[in-house]
Amino acid sequence: MRTTELESARLAVCEVGRAMWERRLVAANDGNISVRVDDLVVCTPTGVSKGFLVPGELAVLGLDGELVSGDLPPSSEVKMHLRVYELDDTARAVVHAHPLFATMAAVQGRELECRMLPETIVTMPRVPLAPYATPSTTAVPDSISPFVADYRACLLENHGALTWGPDLMSTYLAMERLEYTAELLWRLDASGGGRDLPDDEIARIRDLFGC
Ligand SMILES: [Zn+2]
């Protein structure tokens, strides 16, 4: 049973990797993806383009980070993924990418907040900014820890973006929405600014959708 689930997870990671690469959410070998199956984590290997992943080359780790199988080492950022699984028992997937507009906001030290669109108010009203940490060190998981319980996404200062959730598809789609929101905010800023929805309409939307 678990073998079947692991195989499905491997295929799904490759599919999402391809989508991320095609949508330019990552460049070159950047980014990493993981899926939790019971007490195991399927993770993209280091140094491989997300557009050309092969199911058999994905690493499988324990929740403690110990390699269970895989010819290539897992991503050096896997500690960030393991921290999410440690702090959020409902998380089953983590996606890390360097989308252009989200990364621009992260470099400028700005979190994302959008009160202009109903969809964003319901699904992603605020994306906090985790403070800069040197890649591959434990400072990276430490920087995201304060946000894991209350959010499904954060920016990584001078680095990129991270999303997590109950399944891989919703976690990937959160990355798409995050980048869409970052691009929208950037383009509105560059063209004279946008208008927030009125407070009473925001309250109505939150009431209606229970968010
Ligand atoms: Zn990165």
Side-chain angles (χ1 to χ4, degrees):
M1 177 61 182
R2 191 163 75 169
T3 308
T4 311
E5 280 184 61
L6 283 172
E7 288 316 304
S8 301
R10 286 176 187 273
L11 288 170
V13 167
C14 293
E15 216 174 323
V16 162
R18 186 76 182 187
M20 281 170 59
W21 180 78
E22 285 178 344
R23 288 187 66 94
R24 303 185 66 186
L25 300 177
V26 287
N29 297 335
D30 296 347
N32 30 76
I33 305 162
S34 74
V35 170
R36 178 178 173 180
V37 177
D38 296 332
D39 53 352
L40 294 176
V41 176
V42 177
C43 181
T44 49
T46 190
V48 178
S49 165
K50 303 306 155 296
F52 301 93
L53 290 167
V54 177
E57 70 187 3
L58 301 187
V60 179
L61 304 94
L63 286 169
D64 57 0
E66 195 171 330
L67 191 63
V68 173
S69 71
D71 294 334
L72 298 171
S75 161
S76 58
E77 298 294 7
V78 73
K79 294 186 206 77
M80 183 165 61
H81 297 234
L82 296 174
R83 182 66 61 87
V84 171
Y85 297 126
E86 182 189 330
L87 296 179
D88 181 355
D89 201 37
T90 69
R92 290 295 176 274
V94 178
V95 168
H96 167 52
H98 298 175
L100 184 62
F101 289 91
T103 304
M104 285 165 64
V107 168
Q108 291 172 330
R110 289 191 293 123
E111 64 174 34
L112 304 177
E113 186 160 15
C114 182
R115 297 163 57 88
M116 293 179 264
L117 299 173
E119 291 83 359
T120 309
I121 288 163
V122 172
T123 59
M124 194 178 277
R126 177 172 173 247
V127 181
L129 177 74
Y132 178 77
T134 307
S136 85
T137 68
T138 53
V140 178
D142 288 349
S143 74
I144 64 155
S145 290
F147 308 109
V148 173
D150 296 333
Y151 295 89
R152 291 275 172 230
C154 69
L155 296 177
L156 308 172
E157 188 176 10
N158 286 75
H159 183 171
L162 187 74
T163 57
W164 57 94
D167 58 79
L168 181 56
M169 183 50 70
S170 68
T171 302
Y172 163 67
L173 292 177
M175 186 61 77
E176 277 194 9
R177 183 168 302 285
L178 188 158
E179 174 62 353
Y180 171 78
T181 304
E183 180 170 359
L184 180 89
L185 292 173
W186 190 90
R187 291 193 183 281
L188 284 169
D189 272 356
S191 58
R195 295 167 303 143
D196 285 352
L197 286 168
D199 287 347
D200 62 341
E201 176 59 10
I202 291 174
R204 193 174 300 124
I205 289 167
R206 285 181 175 153
D207 194 42
L208 198 57
F209 291 92
C211 54

